[in-house]
Amino acid sequence: MSTYLFPPPAVAAVPVRGQSELFPVNRLFFVGRNYHAHAVEMGKPVDKTVERPFYFTKAPQTLALSGSTTPYPSETSNYHFEMELVLAVGKAGFRVKAEDAQDIIYGYACGLDMTRRDLQLVARDKGRPWDLGKDVEHSSVCSEIVPMPGVVMERGAIELAVNGETKQKSDVDKLIWNIREIIADLSLFYHLQPGDLIYTGTPEGVGAVLPGDRITGRVEGVGEIALTVGPKA
């Protein structure tokens, strides 16, 4: 039996609505600029006729659960919220056809992709990786997963508020690449596995938060999410 020099990390996991078993998280994938209005506000419009989706990843150790209080991260003065629909993968899939995408869907959750925006933009403009801006401790916030095996979500209001003031308001039907297209494209590059979470992109209205701020969000038909921004790390 193997032994370790120090205790290995605990398995990252998310609660599942109506079940005592947890959903063990394997990998965290994020779709970049997947709502037109958000792409425009970031200064990088998307032309779907000539472009493909692009992705970034975060370590499972960045996972934080809805209802948490997480510290305002170090080395940033522009910490942003991004409200997202999260897709939970329940079966393995590689080179999945769009028309078969429902076969690997386990369910959905609400998510926040918290971002050191200042560091991300510096990296982007210099052609460097986004890791310091995106792969931030406690930055992948996820609500409970709602089991919806085989369901391909095509619409549903998505919105976020900070201290009760609405900041983001859109609909999942405005995704540039929809759920089927995301699964089909991403599975060309990765053997998708049970436990993978795919954050499908954020609508327009992203903005900065400060220590003490309370973030709340919802996706119609899925649920709600909440996060309190704690003191600076």
Side-chain angles (χ1 to χ4, degrees):
M1 181 175 180
S2 299
T3 58
Y4 302 94
L5 291 173
F6 46 84
V11 174
V14 180
V16 178
R17 183 178 297 176
Q19 298 188 25
S20 58
E21 296 87 357
L22 299 176
F23 183 91
V25 174
N26 185 37
R27 292 172 293 187
L28 301 176
F29 295 102
F30 294 75
V31 185
R33 293 196 291 267
N34 202 21
Y35 286 79
H36 281 296
H38 173 61
V40 170
E41 77 177 349
M42 295 302 293
K44 298 288 184 179
V46 173
D47 183 353
K48 186 178 180 180
T49 64
V50 296
E51 297 182 52
R52 292 177 66 173
F54 79 92
Y55 312 94
F56 58 92
T57 62
K58 297 191 188 187
Q61 289 80 8
T62 65
L63 190 70
L65 298 182
S66 177
S68 299
T69 297
T70 61
Y72 189 99
S74 60
E75 301 301 317
T76 183
S77 58
N78 196 21
Y79 192 43
H80 275 214
F81 54 80
E82 297 188 8
M83 180 68 197
E84 312 208 4
L85 170 68
V86 180
L87 163 67
V89 176
K91 294 181 180 179
F94 181 58
R95 295 176 179 165
V96 180
K97 295 180 180 179
E99 58 267 29
D100 297 327
Q102 69 278 354
D103 294 344
I104 72 167
I105 295 174
Y106 175 76
Y108 297 90
C110 301
L112 296 172
D113 169 23
M114 303 299 294
T115 303
R116 291 181 177 120
R117 186 71 72 204
D118 42 3
L119 301 190
Q120 181 203 11
L121 295 181
V122 167
R124 184 194 73 180
D125 294 343
K126 291 187 176 182
R128 296 174 177 173
W130 290 5
D131 298 55
L132 292 180
K134 285 291 191 179
D135 194 22
V136 180
E137 294 169 342
H138 316 293
S139 68
S140 305
V141 189
C142 193
S143 73
E144 66 178 2
I145 293 172
V146 181
M148 298 184 192
V151 174
V152 178
M153 281 192 63
E154 297 179 344
R155 61 187 56 83
I158 179 171
E159 56 188 62
L160 176 144
V162 178
N163 301 325
E165 181 181 352
T166 299
K167 300 291 186 179
Q168 292 184 276
K169 191 176 181 67
S170 188
D171 196 286
V172 172
D173 66 6
K174 292 182 171 59
L175 285 168
I176 298 173
W177 288 279
N178 62 34
I179 298 298
R180 290 187 181 278
E181 292 169 324
I182 291 169
I183 290 174
D185 188 74
L186 186 58
S187 69
L188 295 175
F189 299 96
Y190 296 93
H191 291 75
L192 296 179
Q193 299 294 324
D196 288 342
L197 295 180
I198 304 172
Y199 286 61
T200 58
T202 193
E204 72 276 13
V206 299
V209 288
L210 297 170
D213 283 345
R214 173 78 168 172
I215 301 170
T216 54
R218 62 179 290 270
V219 177
E220 182 182 5
V222 176
E224 301 179 345
I225 193 168
L227 179 72
T228 300
V229 182
K232 291 186 177 182

